[in-house]
Amino acid sequence: MLRHHQTSTHSSCDVRPTSKDGCPILARFWRKSGIPRKFQAWHFLALTLLLPVITLLSGCRIDMHVQPRENPLSRSDFFSDQRSERPPVEGTIARGELRADTYFYTGKTGNTPGDYMPFPVTKEVLERGRERYNIYCAPCHSRVGDGNGFIPSRGFPRKPPSYHIPRLQKAPLGYFYDVITSGFGIMPDYASQIPPRDRWNIVAYVRALQLSQNATRADVPSGQDLPSEPPQFSGEPGSGATLPVIAPEASSKSEEQK
């Protein structure tokens, strides 16, 4: 029986491939929990290549392309008014458009135009106002504000009023701001072209123009001398379209002083 057992064992080992130490390869395969080493490197490389491909393919979805949507200004049966474009919710305020300071944005206290600047007037404010005034206002009102700008001199049917007439000299600052914002007569509004702060800058410069064209020696602060006598013009002073003409007497006096 011992001989029979040895013979059967030997015959079974002949059927299954063995390693050098006599252990079956299949048993070593299960014992090391994997395929032989020459296949492990290939398996790792395949996973390394397949995982990014699977990740990319998982993102290739067309849900956003076929989602329910409406074309702009199209008809929609979902809403009672059949408009796909919905108005903003009542009370919605865009970012930066709160406009809590009503006087800054309207120039009015209630329904009455105010007569004060919402911020201090500095040299920088007047320089900015002069720059904006020369761009947007001077073509009609002229650079000195007398209404003899380039456009009226070329046949515009209605000449704008001069800033130096008594009515506009007494007008409050908020009145000029409101005219720039809302327009007046045939003058269009400039709300879309000129931001609110620049409108106030222009208002401050208009007031400076009024003072410059109607100032007297009494308006000069005490202790401050004028560098020279103001020139005398013959006829109307110059505008944005015409040059000023100095009176002969003033020119002759200046030559004698030299």
Side-chain angles (χ1 to χ4, degrees):
M1 293 180 65
L2 180 61
R3 181 179 301 176
H4 179 73
H5 175 72
Q6 293 176 351
T7 303
S8 60
T9 304
H10 179 71
S11 61
S12 61
C13 290
D14 291 339
V15 174
R16 295 176 298 175
T18 58
S19 61
K20 293 181 180 180
D21 55 0
C23 296
I25 294 178
L26 184 61
R28 184 178 63 183
F29 164 74
W30 289 111
R31 185 171 64 252
K32 292 188 176 182
S33 302
I35 59 177
R37 290 188 178 181
K38 63 180 180 179
F39 296 106
Q40 289 181 0
W42 167 252
H43 183 67
F44 178 77
L45 180 62
L47 288 177
T48 304
L49 296 176
L50 286 176
L51 283 177
V53 174
I54 294 174
T55 303
L56 292 175
L57 291 178
S58 63
C60 295
R61 304 177 61 185
I62 60 173
D63 292 349
M64 295 296 291
H65 295 277
V66 298
Q67 63 177 327
R69 63 181 181 85
E70 297 288 347
N71 293 326
L73 303 178
S74 62
R75 177 179 176 177
S76 174
D77 295 331
F78 183 80
F79 300 100
S80 59
D81 57 4
Q82 297 184 344
R83 293 187 302 171
S84 62
E85 296 288 336
R86 308 310 302 160
V89 178
E90 184 177 357
T92 301
I93 299 175
R95 185 184 297 273
E97 297 294 330
L98 181 59
R99 302 195 172 190
D101 187 354
T102 56
Y103 180 75
F104 180 82
Y105 290 100
T106 63
K108 297 180 179 180
T109 303
N111 293 325
T112 305
D115 198 18
Y116 65 93
M117 290 289 293
F119 49 82
V121 178
T122 61
K123 180 180 178 182
E124 291 73 17
V125 169
L126 292 177
E127 289 179 348
R128 176 69 177 181
R130 178 178 61 181
E131 179 191 32
R132 300 292 97 182
Y133 175 89
N134 289 339
I135 292 173
Y136 294 105
C137 310
C140 289
H141 293 274
S142 86
R143 294 202 171 193
V144 296
D146 60 359
N148 294 317
F150 181 84
I151 293 178
S153 67
R154 293 297 185 272
F156 193 69
R158 188 169 182 179
K159 177 182 175 181
S162 172
Y163 291 136
H164 311 300
I165 61 177
R167 178 178 67 85
L168 293 182
Q169 286 180 348
K170 297 177 182 179
L173 298 176
Y175 171 80
F176 295 101
Y177 181 89
D178 182 63
V179 170
I180 298 173
T181 304
S182 306
F184 185 84
I186 61 175
M187 172 184 166
D189 68 88
Y190 284 83
S192 60
Q193 295 97 320
I194 307 176
R197 186 174 182 87
D198 278 345
R199 293 176 221 166
W200 283 114
N201 294 339
I202 292 175
V203 169
Y205 182 69
V206 167
R207 193 63 95 199
L209 277 180
Q210 292 175 329
L211 179 62
S212 69
Q213 299 298 309
N214 299 278
T216 62
R217 186 176 291 274
D219 296 325
V220 180
S222 59
Q224 182 177 347
D225 296 331
L226 291 174
S228 61
E229 292 289 337
Q232 299 296 324
F233 299 100
S234 60
E236 294 291 331
S239 64
T242 60
L243 295 176
V245 179
I246 300 177
E249 295 181 357
S251 61
S252 61
K253 290 181 180 180
S254 61
E255 290 178 358
E256 292 177 358
Q257 292 177 356
K258 291 181 180 179

